[in-house]
Amino acid sequence: VCLASRMTDFRFFRVENRGLDQFIAWQKSVALAGDIILFTQRSGLSRHQWFCDQLRRAALSVPSNIAEGYERRGEKDTPRFYLIAMGSCAEAKTQLKVAVHAQLIGSSEAAPLCDACDEVMRLLVVVVEVEIDTILLNDKNLAAQPQH
């Protein structure tokens, strides 16, 4: 049984008749990117522009790739964009952890942002599973159709 079939809130994954604005993974990733941008402007990390630029790029890549994957719905490469978003989210979390280790920020400052990264990645795991299940089901249905 697919994990998504056990979900009660179907907004966790793509719903055809709703817009991107209703896609929870995208909403959470937009909030995460915004929070990271604000954090890099207001924290001690702002003294390290090179680090802030890298962290912002990773954070902005998450909702951007989710949006691109969402708009390609129904195409076989759709899950790839969600996987790229997951990778960018893991990249942002790693950069936050490195900043803590390098004593550029405190662990208590990074923790809520790392938790938000984890939440987005958990949502995207479900989205990818649903997309892959849908592709496999469509392929199976196409193969089962009689050839003329």
Side-chain angles (χ1 to χ4, degrees), residues 14 72-80 82 127-143:
R14 178 178 46 77
R72 290 175 176 257
R73 56 192 174 269
E75 294 182 24
K76 286 190 176 189
D77 67 344
T78 297
R80 181 172 63 90
Y82 298 137
V127 171
V128 169
E129 285 184 3
V130 168
E131 289 294 335
I132 290 173
D133 285 352
T134 300
I135 289 168
L136 293 175
L137 182 62
N138 288 342
D139 286 351
K140 183 179 176 182
N141 288 340
L142 283 175

Side-chain angles (χ1 to χ4, degrees), residues 14-15 18-20 23 66-73 82:
R14 178 178 46 77
V15 179
R18 296 188 183 189
L20 181 62
F23 191 21
I66 292 172
E68 188 162 358
Y70 183 90
E71 292 306 325
R72 290 175 176 257
R73 56 192 174 269
Y82 298 137

